[in-house]
Structures are given as C-alpha cells and as structure tokens.
Amino acid sequence: MKRVLLLALLALAAGTARAQTPLTKGKGLLTGTIGYQRVSSGVTRDLFEFAPTIGTFVADNLALGVSASIRLYSGNANSFGSNSYAVGPFARYYRFVGGDKFALFGQGSLGYTRTNETGSNGYNQGYLSVTPGLAFFPIPRFGLEASLRGLTYATNFNSTSTLDLGFSLNNFQLGAAYYFGK
C-alpha cells in the first residue's frame, strides 16, 4: 500500500511539474547578430554589421535591456562608404506556445543612430521599431531565434522621416541567444 501511495504521489508530482524555462525574473539575456552582405551590379558594395544586445528579465518572460549596432558600408572605385552606430533601450516579451520549447516574442526598441558618409558631415536619427520573432529552446540556457525586421519609424529630428515595413521573407533573420544567471 505504501508503494502505491508513493507511486501515486510521484505521478502527481511529475504531471504537475513544468520544465524551468530560462525566461524567469532575475536571469539575463545575451543575443545579437553578425552579418556580411556583398552586392555587385556594376558597383560593388559591402556591408558588415555587428549588433549585440544584453538585457535582464524584470518579470517572467519580460526582458529589458540595451542594444547597439555598428554598420560599415564600403564601395569600389567610386569610393562610396559610410558607417553608422546605433544605441538604445529595448523591451522583449515572450509568449510560450505548445509547451516550453517554442515561444513567440515581440521586441520594441527606441534609439539613436549616427551615420557618417564619405564626403559629407553625416546625420543623426532617432528610431522606434517593433520586431516579431520565434524562439526555440533546445536546451535550457540556449535559444535559436528567427525574426523579421518588422516595423520601423525613423526621423532626423527636423523634416525627414521614414516608415519601413519589413515583414517579407527578404527581411528574415536567424540568431542565437544565451540566457544566464541564477
């Protein structure tokens, strides 16, 4: 009888136990992108981008943090070139679907960008963006991410502004994330 009771308690505990996700309050998030693109159509242009992101979970499934990016553009004989630097805060919310291995996420970002172009003084911009994505957690502290560029509004603080809708598969990005802490 004691064995049956013990087995029943173990079965109940196993049925109610849920795997611990890495998205709990107090944990950290480290993610980012590294990219290279070369376009050749008479003029060859290269783009290198590095964009790290670090944050902390202030509540289960909600991370706040800072993102930054460096983009370096270069060209051939016509000496086209530019570089841009961006920094700003972000908020990311995860919603698990179908268990604890997959989560949809939405990320909102606000920031400042400085762009310098060859032969000009450069310019400053502010931006606001919303990015949708999907995260897969093969192991507890590591995630694979797929996202689209999403919706971005940018302004140079006087007369010029742009609204960019990047929801096509041309704007598909893959990434990885490491979750650290407690």
Side-chain angles (χ1 to χ4, degrees), residues 92-95 103-107 131-135 144-147:
R92 181 185 281 195
Y93 183 76
Y94 292 84
R95 177 79 176 177
L104 297 172
F105 68 83
Q107 178 171 312
T131 304
L134 173 70
L144 299 173
E145 300 177 348
S147 63

Side-chain angles (χ1 to χ4, degrees), residues 43 74-82 117-119:
V43 175
S74 65
N76 62 3
N78 296 336
S79 67
F80 168 82
S82 72
E117 295 179 345
T118 303

Side-chain angles (χ1 to χ4, degrees), residues 132 147-151 164-173:
S147 63
L148 296 174
R149 191 173 71 233
L151 171 69
D164 178 27
L165 298 170
F167 289 107
S168 77
L169 290 180
N170 290 335
N171 300 304
F172 183 74
Q173 298 177 337

Side-chain angles (χ1 to χ4, degrees), residues 17 25 44 80 99 110 121:
K25 183 177 179 178
T44 302
F80 168 82
L110 178 69
N121 292 332

Side-chain angles (χ1 to χ4, degrees), residues 8 14 30 54 61 68 80 83 91 96-97 99 111 117 125 136 153 160-161 167-168 173 176:
L30 179 61
I54 190 163
N61 301 330
F80 168 82
N83 52 45
F96 280 90
V97 291
E117 295 179 345
Q125 281 189 314
F136 168 63
Y153 173 79
T160 305
S161 62
F167 289 107
S168 77
Q173 298 177 337

Side-chain angles (χ1 to χ4, degrees), residues 8 30 39 43 49 61 63 78 86 114 123-124 131 147 155 163 175:
L30 179 61
V39 176
V43 175
E49 180 179 17
N61 301 330
N78 296 336
R114 172 70 185 169
Y123 57 93
N124 301 315
T131 304
S147 63
T155 180
L163 180 64

Side-chain angles (χ1 to χ4, degrees), residues 28-163:
L29 164 69
L30 179 61
T31 186
T33 61
I34 296 174
Y36 174 78
Q37 179 182 28
R38 182 178 194 106
V39 176
S40 261
S41 59
V43 175
T44 302
R45 294 187 178 173
D46 297 306
L47 165 65
F48 171 76
E49 180 179 17
F50 175 63
T53 300
I54 190 163
T56 187
F57 284 89
V58 295
D60 289 356
N61 301 330
L62 177 63
L64 300 178
V66 175
S67 61
S69 73
I70 298 171
R71 289 178 160 202
L72 306 171
Y73 293 93
S74 65
N76 62 3
N78 296 336
S79 67
F80 168 82
S82 72
N83 52 45
S84 67
Y85 311 93
V87 66
F90 77 90
R92 181 185 281 195
Y93 183 76
Y94 292 84
R95 177 79 176 177
F96 280 90
V97 291
D100 59 359
K101 291 288 186 187
F102 290 94
L104 297 172
F105 68 83
Q107 178 171 312
S109 302
L110 178 69
Y112 166 80
T113 302
R114 172 70 185 169
T115 301
N116 298 309
E117 295 179 345
T118 303
S120 76
N121 292 332
Y123 57 93
N124 301 315
Q125 281 189 314
Y127 67 87
L128 173 65
S129 68
V130 177
T131 304
L134 173 70
F136 168 63
F137 302 95
I139 58 176
R141 291 187 176 256
F142 182 74
L144 299 173
E145 300 177 348
S147 63
L148 296 174
R149 191 173 71 233
L151 171 69
T152 302
Y153 173 79
T155 180
N156 68 356
F157 305 111
N158 54 28
S159 62
T160 305
S161 62
T162 60
L163 180 64

